[in-house]
Amino acid sequence: MTSKKDIVEMLRLRGEAKQRLHREACEIRDSRIGKKVFLRGLVEFSNACGRDCLYCGINRSNDSVKRYSMSVQDIAACVDEAYAVGYRSFVLQSGELRSEEFTSYVEEIVSAVMASHPSAGITLSCGEQSDETYIRWRDAGAKRYLLRIETSNRRHYEILHAKGADFDDRLRCLVALKELGYQVGSGVMIGSPHQTIEDLAGDILFLRDMDVDMVGMGPFVPHSNTAFGGFPAGELDLALNMIAVLRKTMPTINIASTTALETLKEKGRQLGLMASANVVMPTITPERFRGDYLLYDNKPVSSLDLAQILNVAVEGIESLGLEAALGESGDPLHFLERKNHG
Ligand code: SAH
């Protein structure tokens, strides 16, 4: 089994050795799960948030954010439009509110999407919630849930979050989601303030030990209106190496090539695929809201329409000799294996 020290060494690789690492990871991806890249339409349906994560641009203390919550009807329409061009899986993401009102709002959204598209894969990414809430959303039809641990180092977690955020609560949520039968995704920010390379190696081992099905991780990118606005962004090569090392550690999970990569470098998402990611999540948020969901500065806000955004993503995938798996919901092989053995 790979040790923390070995992982640190791999994360430090640059130049030719780094390219070799990425190639090896891609060979593992191709032989274990194939050359298919799954597409998820990302709907950032609300930026209302009750949390104060110190890195995040839509945290509750940022009063320069124009808050919005899309109507259930608008969300359903946006999913319909994306379905028509070939998406079969959707990530519904928002800030985090904990109230009966928010729970039933999300429940209605999921029910509305399921009513029109019963075979669609719905992933929710709406933060920490009670077991009861997770149960209601699952029963409405959500099968996947994304909740990043952000950092697996408890002390570091406390540095990244305002008082009141509890590492154990986050862990409890991840365990509950799994027990409730969700396909569970987690991940971390790479190069966040006060993080060490040993922390990142620990993150890989954490994701392995949690036996997650999906991972989304990307570089930290500062947002000027937050406590961490003055910190530098995470390093691209480090983020790419994290993807490659994770693939070597967990060959059959889904790994997303995230938008934050694209923020650091044009075509950064393609670099993520070349480091062995197998999922991309183009935004399908209606244009009038895109500019208000700014988790960090310089987040690319496209003025293209949904079909054009998809075309760009598909071309990017195909230019690498990979296949854009349109029309597929894209369950992670890891989840199917876990279910068969469990
Ligand atoms: N509220 C939900 C989902 C929205 S935030 C939740 O907390 O799970 C989605 C992800 O964006 C976070 O998990 C975090 O990893 C990432 N993010 C937030 N601010 C960021 C920043 N400044 N740089 C990079 N990633 C960031």
Side-chain angles (χ1 to χ4, degrees), residues 143-160:
K143 358 186 233 186
R144 308 181 178 133
Y145 205 97
L146 293 179
L147 183 71
R148 291 187 178 179
I149 191 74
E150 316 296 357
T151 172
S152 62
N153 176 335
R154 180 183 291 274
R155 245 180 335 100
H156 186 220
Y157 188 88
E158 283 162 15
I159 295 173
L160 294 182

Side-chain angles (χ1 to χ4, degrees), residues 80-108:
D80 287 347
E81 204 188 322
Y83 197 93
V85 298
Y87 287 100
R88 292 296 176 270
S89 128
F90 303 92
V91 177
L92 309 178
Q93 191 178 79
S94 67
E96 180 180 313
L97 293 175
R98 286 185 225 159
S99 63
E100 171 52 33
E101 196 189 347
F102 185 71
T103 299
S104 53
Y105 168 52
V106 175
E107 197 173 29
E108 270 178 56

Side-chain angles (χ1 to χ4, degrees), residues 49 55-58 93-96 125-127 146-148 150 170 188-189 218-223 260 293 295-296:
C49 193
Y55 44 84
C56 184
I58 61 164
Q93 191 178 79
S94 67
E96 180 180 313
S125 176
C126 310
L146 293 179
L147 183 71
R148 291 187 178 179
E150 316 296 357
R170 203 129 183 119
V188 297
M189 280 180 301
F220 161 76
V221 183
H223 185 293
Y293 198 85
L295 305 176
Y296 40 79

